[in-house]
Each structure stands twice: as C-alpha cells, then as structure tokens.
Amino acid sequence: ELVRINKYISDTGFCSRREADRLVAGGQVTINGKRAEIGAKVDLGDSIKVNNKLIGNRRRSIYIAFNKPRGVTSTTDETDRSNIISFIGYKERIFPIGRLDKMSEGLIFLTNDGNIVNKILRAGNSHEKEYVVTVNIPITDDFIKKMRRGVRILRTTTLPCRVERVSDYKFKIVLTQGLNRQIRRMCEKLGYAVTKLIRTRIMNVRLKGIGPGQWRYLTADEMKKINMLLANSIKTEEASALKGNKQYDGNKHRGKKHKRNGHDAKRK
C-alpha cells in the first residue's frame, strides 16, 4: 500500500503530519537515499530517513470496540485508577475516541490512529450515536416532544434528534452532537434524572455481542463502512480555519447555499 510521505512519518510516531511536511520542505527527509518531495508516496519496503537517521516502520492501525462498564473513566491518565487504558490492558498505546462519563456504559472506540479520531469527533460531521436511557419518573409525550425539538443547555439549544419511547421509564435517542453530559443535562432541564445510560451504537457499529468490560477489533467491513462515512468529513485543519471558538458547528459550513443571517452573526 502506497501512502504519502507525511502520513508514513506520522504513522511511525515520529511527529505529526504537519511537522513531517515541514521536514520534507526543509530537505531533511530522504527516500531510498534521495531527497523527498512534498506529496511523494512510499511503501513499507522503502528506506525513510530524517536528518540521515532511519526512522521506524509504520505502526499498524488498531481499531477496537469496547463495552465500557459503569465506573470506568474515559481517560488515558493513569493516575486515575479507574482509567480505561489500565482497565483494558492492551499491549500497545491506544486512546479512546471521545468520552462516556464515568457513570455511563456502552460502546466506545479506541485506536492509535489520530486522524480518524479527529474526523469522528468533529461535531459538524453529524455522525450518529445511539443511546438507551432509563429515567426516574414516567416518560410523557411532552417530554419526548421537547427532547426531539431541542433543549436549552450550556448556553445553546441542542440540535433536533430522534427520540423513541421504549417503555414507561426508558427511551432511545440518536444524537449527532457531543456536548458535555448532553443527555443527562437535557433530562435534568425537563425535570428528569437519568438512572442508567447505555450507548448502543456509534455510526454503523453496534454494541450487540460485546459483554460489559469486553472488547473486540472492528471488522474489515465495519472499517470500510466507517471510512465511507468519513470520506466527506471536515478535517481538523479546515474546521480550525472556519471557526473562532469551541462552539463551531460544521453543519453551517456545508454546502454553498449557507447564508449568514442576523441570528448567526449574534452567535459569532
């Protein structure tokens, strides 16, 4: 498989793609003894050197689906005894894609591929996440309607979403946002308390078949579908150029027909 020189260098863990481009532009990188050019492609058999020093082989990409139990923290900080990395005990360095709060359960991805992390997490990419939520009091039609329409939390209104009642105390919700403790905050605003929250799906991958505390590798078919879904995702660098604050919503920048109306101007 041929890959661009900046990705090859980044995949070895030597530096970021951006820094790799700087090294190539500065004439500090060689491919099989010849000075590398921006955009050059290489494969595993090539000899890649930076400042005359041979760099290691590309790391294999790791993609894991994990059923996080309640009480495990979605952090790589090993000073936190409940951290997800120590719990899994994987032999290579991996990190979670996004978060599930400590008291929530269910599906979370882990990987060593920083590029896919950025694409999945970018809010404007509208990648679906599905949850089954149990609350403390009976669910009303009004509650379902308000959850679907959007709830005012964290100085913003949540995006419209799909909500379906499962039983008197349980509902299913599909989000494309990732606000901090979003579902819990939405429920609290409407007078409900979450007693159990399980994420059952991320994009095309479902929790089914993975027991609490267990994990599996994502399959080739799952990764193929994920890559298709990510194909049109806005990249981190593009988003940074478009946004001036953390509340950037990439959906506003999709398509050529977007207009900046007075409401948008106020939000800026």
Side-chain angles (χ1 to χ4, degrees):
E1 180 190 5
L2 293 177
V3 297
R4 291 183 180 274
I5 184 65
N6 61 350
K7 183 178 186 328
Y8 183 100
I9 294 173
S10 174
D11 285 351
T12 67
F14 186 87
C15 64
S16 68
R17 291 194 193 188
R18 184 173 294 179
E19 181 59 27
D21 280 334
R22 292 195 190 101
L23 293 172
V24 173
Q28 297 166 266
V29 180
T30 61
I31 304 171
N32 300 326
K34 296 181 180 180
R35 179 171 169 170
E37 296 180 357
I38 294 287
K41 292 190 175 182
V42 296
D43 65 26
L44 290 175
D46 289 326
S47 172
I48 313 300
K49 292 183 179 181
V50 177
N51 293 325
N52 254 354
K53 291 184 179 179
L54 190 67
I55 63 173
N57 291 328
R58 290 166 57 206
R59 298 168 297 177
R60 68 188 182 99
S61 295
I62 298 163
Y63 305 104
I64 284 173
F66 173 56
N67 186 348
K68 187 188 88 64
R70 192 169 181 162
V72 173
T73 311
S74 305
T75 179
T76 58
D77 182 3
E78 296 188 4
T79 63
D80 182 340
R81 293 185 178 181
S82 62
N83 78 83
I84 194 170
I85 303 303
S86 297
F87 184 93
I88 294 177
Y90 195 76
K91 59 185 181 295
E92 297 180 42
R93 180 178 176 272
I94 55 174
F95 39 86
I97 302 179
R99 299 177 65 87
L100 269 177
D101 67 63
K102 189 172 183 177
M103 301 313 292
S104 297
E105 311 166 41
L107 187 62
I108 187 168
F109 292 161
L110 294 100
T111 185
N112 63 349
D113 181 355
N115 186 53
I116 202 169
V117 172
N118 291 333
K119 287 188 174 183
I120 289 177
L121 293 186
R122 180 57 52 192
N125 288 332
S126 303
H127 302 311
E128 290 187 349
K129 297 178 289 291
E130 185 175 304
Y131 303 80
V132 174
V133 186
T134 305
V135 290
N136 63 328
I137 57 178
I139 296 166
T140 65
D141 291 341
D142 186 57
F143 170 81
I144 295 293
K145 185 185 300 182
K146 288 178 178 177
M147 290 288 284
R148 285 174 178 164
R149 189 170 54 208
V151 179
R152 187 75 182 174
I153 59 170
L154 299 174
R155 294 188 296 178
T156 189
T157 300
T158 60
L159 294 177
C161 59
R162 302 204 306 273
V163 184
E164 173 189 340
R165 178 168 21 205
V166 176
S167 66
D168 287 345
Y169 293 87
K170 188 181 294 186
F171 67 93
K172 188 181 297 182
I173 183 169
V174 179
L175 299 181
T176 56
Q177 277 180 299
L179 300 179
N180 181 256
R181 293 170 57 85
Q182 179 172 344
I183 296 172
R184 294 182 186 275
R185 291 179 189 273
M186 291 171 73
C187 290
E188 287 168 7
K189 190 66 178 281
L190 299 179
Y192 289 71
V194 172
T195 59
K196 189 171 185 178
L197 189 154
I198 304 175
R199 183 155 65 195
T200 57
R201 177 172 65 88
I202 301 174
M203 300 167 72
N204 59 305
V205 180
R206 295 189 176 276
L207 184 64
K208 186 177 180 180
I210 311 173
Q214 297 181 343
W215 62 269
R216 66 169 175 82
Y217 292 111
L218 295 181
T219 67
D221 285 344
E222 286 171 335
M223 285 309 304
K224 182 178 180 181
K225 177 65 173 177
I226 287 173
N227 285 321
M228 288 173 60
L229 292 171
L230 294 177
N232 295 320
S233 291
I234 189 166
K235 297 179 182 178
T236 302
E237 293 83 3
E238 293 170 348
S240 297
L242 290 170
K243 81 169 196 170
N245 59 65
K246 293 182 181 178
Q247 295 300 317
Y248 166 77
D249 181 355
N251 287 326
K252 292 182 180 178
H253 297 277
R254 288 186 168 191
K256 298 180 180 179
K257 296 184 179 179
H258 169 66
K259 297 181 180 178
R260 294 182 181 276
N261 57 31
H263 177 68
D264 289 338
K266 289 179 182 177
R267 291 188 65 184
K268 298 284 184 185

